[in-house]
Amino acid sequence: MTVEHDIADIGLADEGQLKIEWADRQMPVLTRIRERFEKERPLEGIKIAACLHVTTETANLMRTLATGGADVALCASNPLSTQDTTAAGLVGAYDIPTYAIRGVDETQYYGHLKAVLDRKPVITMDDGCDLVTMLHQQRPDQLKDVIGGTEETTTGIIRLHAMEADGVLGYPVVGVNDALTKHLFDNRYGTGQSAIDGIIRATNVLLAGRTVVVCGYGMCGRGVASRAKGMGADVIVTEVEPTRALEAAMDGFRVMTGRAAASQGDIFVTVTGNKHVLDSEHFELMKDGAIMCNAGHFDIEINLKALRSMASGSRRVRQEVEEFSMEGDRKVYVLADGRLVNLAAAEGHPAAVMDMSFANQALSCEWIAQNAAHLEKKVYPVPVEIDREVARLKLETMGVRIDELTAAQKSYQEGWEEGT
Ligand code: ADE
């Protein structure tokens, strides 16, 4: 009997399974964890509700949790990021209850979150905090049964800290994004590559010789800027935080205000986590042919409402490209409806980098299960031992060997007596 689900087409299960297995080959750390989970079953009987991008990499995380004994159900964390083949593979080949269809409207999207909450989870796994928000706002009676949660993104963790500060956070949550083996790699190399991948798949434009404006120089922005530069683009960075702006300048990028960049850019990528980073004042200055996209979690970074009201008309010119007719006989373009371009127009971060992010997720779940009794209702970092273990395993599976400190070096590092 097939597990409960709401997916586009179960007939895609075989294709989905092949793709999930393909990604798994690039996820050796998660595979090792899965092998240990199979023997130790650390999540036996634990109900987990996961709200993540439904990709092949996520599918391998779900398999790992299920192999560890968890009763896991998955819904999508974005209406446009679901791979329908993967959703079918999860249901058809791995018996994981999955509620996700690419292109759902808002009602269906939230309906899927409700479906996983109906299963009365004791652990939540979120990407962007939508599931946690729904649980707190609409199902406060369920909070007492939840022993903990994990959160994947910067945006989600900011919300969780706000909830903790307001005294409303109902259970402990591990902020996976803040692990070094997550954000140094996933945010930088993952977003760096997959955002460029999404822009190219959506448009097939040449980056060499173009001016790419990267709005935001956090870990994700750094990745996008460095990859665009590597492909021959002239990169401008805009940033509101002085230290980051300085870093961008010393990394060799032109740094200026959004308004100054607006008339120069051929391609704009927002990666700030904030709203209306590209707004009317920028749209009116943009060149004919300018392309805008977003690689931040929510679709609020480009003010689409303002753009629609300024445009005399719009039409879809390619699957993920909408053209807006602007004053002065200019056309400007928005990719993937302003949603995460790397997931909506491409396949998200490559598996090799999600390997580390999802290893942190799996081990954090195990840690919650082991430590639930003494955790408080606050945001916890991923324990440093887990973070280091993920780095160690990744290096090992890459065949990279590193030195160890000698006894003399260790005592030098720990002491204070030795001087010049
Ligand atoms: N976020 C970015 N890329 C992802 C991927 N491939 N799978 C799940 N979540 C992601």
Side-chain angles (χ1 to χ4, degrees):
M1 206 184 74
T2 359
V3 291
E4 234 185 76
H5 61 269
D6 187 19
I7 60 172
D9 180 2
I10 190 71
L12 301 172
D14 289 346
E15 188 185 341
Q17 186 179 5
L18 284 174
K19 288 182 172 167
I20 292 165
E21 286 171 2
W22 174 259
D24 202 41
R25 291 183 61 88
Q26 305 287 326
M27 304 181 86
V29 177
L30 199 61
T31 306
R32 293 249 185 122
I33 294 169
R34 191 158 62 233
E35 285 162 2
R36 177 171 69 74
F37 274 16
E38 189 167 11
K39 290 190 209 113
E40 298 177 7
R41 306 274 292 178
L43 302 172
E44 193 67 59
I46 293 183
K47 279 199 176 158
I48 301 179
C51 178
L52 300 170
H53 300 295
V54 179
T55 65
T56 51
E57 293 74 30
T58 299
N60 286 315
L61 172 61
M62 297 300 107
R63 290 172 63 197
T64 305
L65 300 173
T67 304
D71 173 357
V72 59
L74 175 67
C75 67
S77 59
N78 183 295
L80 269 191
S81 62
T82 298
Q83 298 164 354
D84 288 325
T85 46
T86 299
L90 275 163
V91 173
Y94 300 108
D95 288 330
I96 310 260
T98 303
Y99 307 86
I101 300 173
R102 185 186 158 95
V104 285
D105 63 22
E106 209 171 293
T107 314
Q108 289 170 297
Y109 173 75
Y110 285 111
H112 288 158
L113 270 66
K114 285 188 182 132
V116 297
L117 291 181
D118 284 347
R119 301 173 67 90
K120 306 274 161 47
V122 296
I123 292 183
T124 61
M125 188 174 269
D126 215 347
D127 185 337
C129 211
D130 277 351
L131 191 68
V132 171
T133 305
M134 177 180 272
L135 188 56
H136 281 70
Q137 287 178 340
Q138 298 178 23
R139 309 269 180 110
D141 49 311
Q142 280 183 231
L143 287 173
K144 61 179 183 333
D145 300 321
V146 181
I147 60 169
T150 63
E151 169 54 54
E152 173 79 3
T153 59
T154 319
T155 298
I157 293 179
I158 290 170
R159 294 201 164 181
L160 289 166
H161 279 300
M163 290 172 80
E164 185 185 333
D166 279 354
V168 297
L169 186 62
Y171 55 87
V173 184
V174 177
V176 170
N177 184 71
D178 293 348
L180 294 176
T181 48
K182 199 281 184 182
H183 69 264
L184 287 182
F185 305 98
D186 168 316
N187 300 29
R188 184 167 41 175
Y189 303 114
T191 309
Q193 179 166 320
S194 62
I196 300 291
D197 184 16
I199 293 167
I200 293 173
R201 289 198 207 192
T203 62
N204 198 26
V205 293
L206 180 72
L207 290 184
R210 297 288 169 84
T211 300
V212 173
V213 179
V214 179
C215 307
Y217 204 64
M219 273 297 155
C220 295
R222 285 168 214 206
V224 176
S226 97
R227 269 39 191 161
K229 182 178 179 179
M231 293 192 74
D234 165 27
V235 178
I236 294 175
V237 171
T238 71
E239 170 59 63
V240 292
E241 205 282 312
T243 318
R244 287 183 179 177
L246 183 60
E247 197 176 356
M250 293 213 186
D251 284 344
F253 299 112
R254 290 196 285 146
V255 179
M256 60 186 77
T257 62
R259 268 187 81 81
S263 56
Q264 299 189 38
D266 297 305
I267 298 165
F268 295 80
V269 190
T270 55
V271 247
T272 69
N274 216 323
K275 67 192 279 197
H276 300 174
V277 177
L278 293 178
D279 212 336
S280 329
E281 58 170 332
H282 308 108
F283 306 144
E284 67 190 15
L285 295 171
M286 283 180 185
K287 296 189 224 180
D288 178 37
I291 294 169
M292 290 174 263
C293 65
N294 167 50
H297 186 79
F298 288 116
D299 61 341
I300 35 92
E301 305 211 13
I302 303 170
N303 188 350
L304 278 178
K305 201 166 163 216
L307 182 60
R308 287 196 195 290
S309 73
M310 286 168 76
S312 58
S314 77
R315 59 177 185 154
R316 196 153 288 271
V317 291
R318 286 168 66 99
Q319 194 182 338
E320 297 300 344
V321 187
E322 189 172 0
E323 178 187 78
F324 293 83
S325 300
M326 310 294 286
E327 205 181 28
D329 204 19
R330 289 174 304 131
K331 308 270 195 258
V332 300
Y333 298 89
V334 173
L335 309 187
D337 300 328
R339 294 197 185 272
L340 280 163
V341 71
N342 56 336
L343 282 142
E347 295 173 64
H349 303 351
V353 85
M354 295 312 293
D355 189 25
M356 287 186 278
S357 311
F358 286 167
N360 277 294
Q361 284 280 10
L363 296 178
S364 295
C365 264
E366 182 184 31
W367 182 79
I368 291 167
Q370 287 165 345
N371 294 281
H374 55 264
L375 296 180
E376 293 165 38
K377 295 173 182 175
K378 59 183 201 180
V379 183
Y380 283 86
V382 171
V384 71
E385 307 77 53
I386 291 182
D387 206 352
R388 284 223 187 97
E389 176 64 2
V390 173
R392 195 190 65 73
L393 282 172
K394 191 69 181 175
L395 284 170
E396 197 175 290
T397 59
M398 289 166 78
V400 176
R401 300 191 57 186
I402 57 171
D403 292 320
E404 280 179 28
L405 291 177
T406 62
Q409 286 170 329
K410 256 192 209 152
S411 90
Y412 175 79
Q413 207 170 43
E414 285 158 12
W416 54 272
E417 295 94 339
E418 265 185 78
T420 44

